[in-house]
Amino acid sequence: MLKKFRFLTLSFLVFLFVYGCSDVQETNKGEFKADKSDFEENLFTNRQNQTIGSLIDNEIIILGSYNKQEREKTSLDDIISKSSESTGDEVEITFKNAEITTKGDKYYITADNGLSLVFRKVGDRIIEDEEGQEYYTAQYPED
């Protein structure tokens, strides 16, 4: 229970940080090397307030809601919409047996229940999904 509370609190703080940085228009599309550790105890949140991350004990968590209103599609929309009872419901989905492999600037995420996602690292704390949506983390990588 404490782990879930800590995770939800961290998720809320990440949302506030991302929302506060919403004036960032351009990302550095240079070469960045993806590393599995980027997802360890770390959350990435997009502008629709959908979150993925926190690879702990081979589990990965997806949080957020899906609204059918016109907006840009994300890679998490289908996953979230299948788990919510109605449009706009907030969900928290934990996928077990999660594995993250990397190649160059790409993250390949797989887990139970057929989870398969690909992200690309486009900044020190920014990843991009296959739909072109960016996800940010408040934590900077340690050198």
Side-chain angles (χ1 to χ4, degrees):
M1 185 69 178
L2 178 61
K3 192 176 186 181
K4 228 179 202 181
F5 177 75
R6 198 173 75 206
F7 180 77
L8 291 173
T9 301
L10 184 58
S11 177
F12 179 71
L13 291 174
V14 168
F15 167 73
L16 289 177
F17 179 80
V18 170
Y19 189 76
C21 294
S22 63
D23 63 336
V24 177
Q25 297 295 318
E26 208 172 296
T27 54
N28 184 353
K29 299 286 184 181
E31 289 294 317
F32 291 95
K33 185 165 176 40
D35 190 302
K36 176 182 175 179
S37 66
D38 294 340
F39 275 86
E40 292 173 352
E41 297 186 28
N42 209 1
L43 301 169
F44 290 90
T45 304
N46 64 25
R47 294 183 195 267
Q48 283 80 22
N49 198 29
Q50 297 172 336
T51 301
I52 184 169
S54 197
L55 182 64
I56 301 172
D57 299 327
N58 292 327
E59 294 182 352
I60 197 155
I61 298 172
I62 294 176
L63 298 167
S65 64
Y66 170 69
N67 292 313
K68 291 184 179 181
Q69 61 186 305
E70 289 198 24
R71 63 171 177 77
E72 297 176 359
K73 182 172 173 45
T74 74
S75 291
L76 302 182
D77 283 345
D78 289 338
I79 298 163
I80 292 171
S81 67
K82 288 177 186 173
S83 297
S84 61
E85 292 181 17
S86 64
T87 300
D89 284 349
E90 289 285 327
V91 297
E92 177 179 329
I93 313 156
T94 302
F95 292 91
K96 297 187 182 298
N97 298 315
E99 289 187 29
I100 298 176
T101 56
T102 61
K103 184 175 182 182
D105 64 353
K106 301 267 180 145
Y107 303 92
Y108 300 91
I109 302 171
T110 57
D112 287 353
N113 299 325
L115 180 69
S116 179
L117 296 166
V118 177
F119 291 91
R120 185 169 70 96
K121 188 169 187 173
V122 296
D124 286 333
R125 56 181 192 81
I126 306 167
I127 61 174
E128 181 179 85
D129 69 18
E130 292 183 295
E131 302 292 338
Q133 298 303 307
E134 292 182 342
Y135 298 69
Y136 306 84
T137 182
Q139 295 182 17
Y140 282 88
E142 294 180 17
D143 292 328

